[in-house]
Amino acid sequence: MGVPRLSINSTPTVPKFPSIPLSEAKMASSKTLAEFFNPAKRLKSVPSPETLILKSSISCNSSPSNESSDPENLTTDQKSRIEINKYSALAKRNLRVCTERVSKSKGISSSSFFFISCIVSAEGMEYVKLEELLVEDSWMKVLPGELQKPYAKNLCRFVEREVRGSVAIYPPQYLIFNALNSTPFDRVKAVILGQDPYHGPGQAMGLAFSVPEGIKVPSSLVNIFKELQQDLGCSIPSHGNLERWAVQGVLLLNTVLTVRNHQANSHAKKGWELFTDAIIRTISLKKSGVVFLLWGNSAQEKSRLIDEAKHHILRAAHPSGLSANRGFFGCRHFSQTNKILEGKGHVLIDWQL
């Protein structure tokens, strides 16, 4: 095929591209700081549910099946993956709302929030009221006015003093209610109770037993993964981020939601227990068929709040290195949970991370 000739006097045709507003061009020219210092990825546009399919399955050892583009022909497994994506998007939306509220209180742009929060000291930090950080609508509906009760107001004042103090408080403000903001009330199928958050820098993320990716997996969580491997054949993940359990309906709830740096139980008996008791009691009263995984004496004390005629309680030793060999290993709580859910016609939990 010959190359077309150009006339010496002809003017080359320049393709026309749609104009881009200057503000958008500036945004596209460089990455924001939040993209470099972001413990939770920025919310991306979510495709239609029919196209949202994760590469995972309910069975830890099963292989992915052929995916169908026709919603009517989707398997239970495929529908589960779509649900995971749907609630992951909701959790990210709630996280974004919380980070924006905290960043505004500090007088900085949300794009710079994560960078600045990593380098400033705790002293003099601005404070966002607790009720402004519980943003998941389903929980606000079933816990109306809970944070306005006298005990909660005292708790709010205590947390405010602590946040404004000279000692770092964990988790960061925007993650205090991460368990509730990640697992809507209507979504709760199982509850795993912890005690207070991890008290080392960068560990606590507002989900019981969970740590962000890149943080060393604590011994208790290592033992949880070992039991999962023995119980369901799940491979042991390289990280300890349990967000994927949370968006599937596993409420990862600590009974105390904040803690001082390197001071375990420092925020115990300040009011958090009354708040989390109200959460457990509300689940027991307004839902049925929820599986409660109570590991250790502290968690098992909460069984008094649960109607065992309506719900299922699985008890075992705590997975810590001190007690895992005294009843946690071999408890098979993960397969038992799925067996109970299957018997009630619920979608099973995909425990593989």
Side-chain angles (χ1 to χ4, degrees):
M1 190 175 193
V3 179
R5 297 181 178 179
L6 291 176
S7 172
I8 295 177
N9 295 324
S10 63
T11 302
T13 301
V14 179
K16 294 183 179 181
F17 298 96
S19 59
I20 301 175
L22 181 59
S23 59
E24 292 185 20
K26 289 181 178 179
M27 291 176 63
S29 64
S30 61
K31 292 185 177 181
T32 64
L33 287 171
E35 290 173 307
F36 291 98
F37 300 91
N38 198 347
K41 294 181 180 179
R42 296 180 65 189
L43 183 64
K44 298 179 180 179
S45 59
V46 181
S48 62
E50 290 77 9
T51 63
L52 291 171
I53 298 177
L54 287 176
K55 295 181 179 179
S56 61
S57 62
I58 297 301
S59 171
C60 294
N61 287 326
S62 62
S63 58
S65 58
N66 293 330
E67 310 294 359
S68 171
S69 59
D70 185 354
E72 295 183 359
N73 296 329
L74 292 176
T75 65
T76 301
D77 188 27
Q78 292 166 343
K79 291 177 182 178
S80 173
R81 298 171 196 177
I82 291 172
E83 286 289 289
I84 291 173
N85 278 274
K86 173 184 174 181
Y87 285 98
S88 292
L90 177 61
K92 289 179 181 179
R93 172 264 176 197
N94 288 340
L95 176 64
R96 184 176 64 183
V97 171
C98 290
T99 56
E100 288 176 349
R101 290 181 179 180
V102 174
S103 65
K104 288 179 180 178
S105 76
K106 294 172 171 42
I108 59 177
S109 65
S110 57
S111 63
S112 303
F113 168 67
F114 291 110
F115 173 68
I116 294 177
S117 65
C118 288
I119 62 174
V120 298
S121 65
E123 188 172 6
M125 293 287 281
E126 293 302 318
Y127 176 75
V128 179
K129 293 181 179 179
L130 287 179
E131 60 264 31
E132 295 179 9
L133 297 174
L134 178 55
V135 300
E136 170 50 43
D137 185 61
S138 62
W139 284 108
M140 291 189 286
K141 288 180 179 178
V142 298
L143 296 170
E146 189 67 32
L147 289 173
Q148 302 303 321
K149 293 181 178 179
Y151 86 85
K153 290 184 177 180
N154 290 333
L155 171 64
C156 291
R157 285 191 285 267
F158 168 76
V159 174
E160 179 176 2
R161 288 195 301 271
E162 291 287 281
V163 170
R164 293 181 183 277
S166 58
V167 179
I169 303 302
Y170 305 128
Q173 288 184 70
Y174 62 94
L175 292 175
I176 288 176
F177 292 123
N178 196 24
L180 302 180
N181 290 334
S182 297
T183 310
F185 174 77
D186 298 335
R187 181 75 163 161
V188 175
K189 294 186 286 189
V191 179
I192 296 178
L193 288 183
Q195 298 180 34
D196 62 343
Y198 295 123
H199 51 79
Q203 290 182 304
M205 57 183 296
L207 303 176
F209 295 102
S210 181
V211 293
E213 294 184 31
I215 297 296
K216 182 181 178 181
V217 180
S219 60
S220 293
L221 188 51
V222 169
N223 289 335
I224 289 172
F225 291 156
K226 288 180 179 178
E227 174 60 22
L228 260 173
Q229 187 178 49
Q230 291 297 316
D231 187 10
L232 289 171
C234 293
S235 60
I236 296 180
S238 60
H239 64 86
N241 189 332
L242 305 182
E243 287 177 336
R244 194 167 186 276
W245 293 1
V247 299
Q248 291 182 80
V250 181
L251 181 63
L252 300 167
L253 182 67
N254 283 318
T255 55
V256 174
L257 301 188
T258 55
V259 69
R260 278 187 166 197
N261 179 43
H262 293 310
Q263 296 181 39
N265 296 312
S266 52
H267 285 187
K269 299 181 180 179
K270 302 297 182 181
W272 279 127
E273 294 90 343
L274 295 175
F275 179 73
T276 53
D277 280 0
I279 293 171
I280 298 168
R281 193 180 294 111
T282 297
I283 294 171
S284 178
L285 180 65
K286 298 187 177 183
K287 295 182 72 70
S288 63
V290 175
V291 184
F292 289 84
L293 289 74
L294 306 184
W295 299 333
N297 293 332
S298 296
Q300 290 168 23
E301 288 176 359
K302 301 299 180 180
S303 62
R304 60 185 169 78
L305 305 170
I306 304 165
D307 184 349
E308 292 194 57
K310 295 172 57 182
H311 303 281
H312 305 269
I313 298 179
L314 303 179
R315 297 174 173 86
H318 194 275
S320 73
L322 298 175
S323 58
N325 286 308
R326 297 201 298 266
F328 178 76
F329 288 138
C331 70
R332 301 184 68 85
H333 278 186
F334 305 102
S335 60
Q336 286 188 57
T337 296
N338 275 353
K339 185 176 180 180
I340 292 169
L341 294 177
E342 184 178 28
K344 294 183 176 297
H346 297 315
V347 176
L348 308 186
I349 303 298
D350 180 2
W351 297 103
Q352 179 67 67
L353 297 175

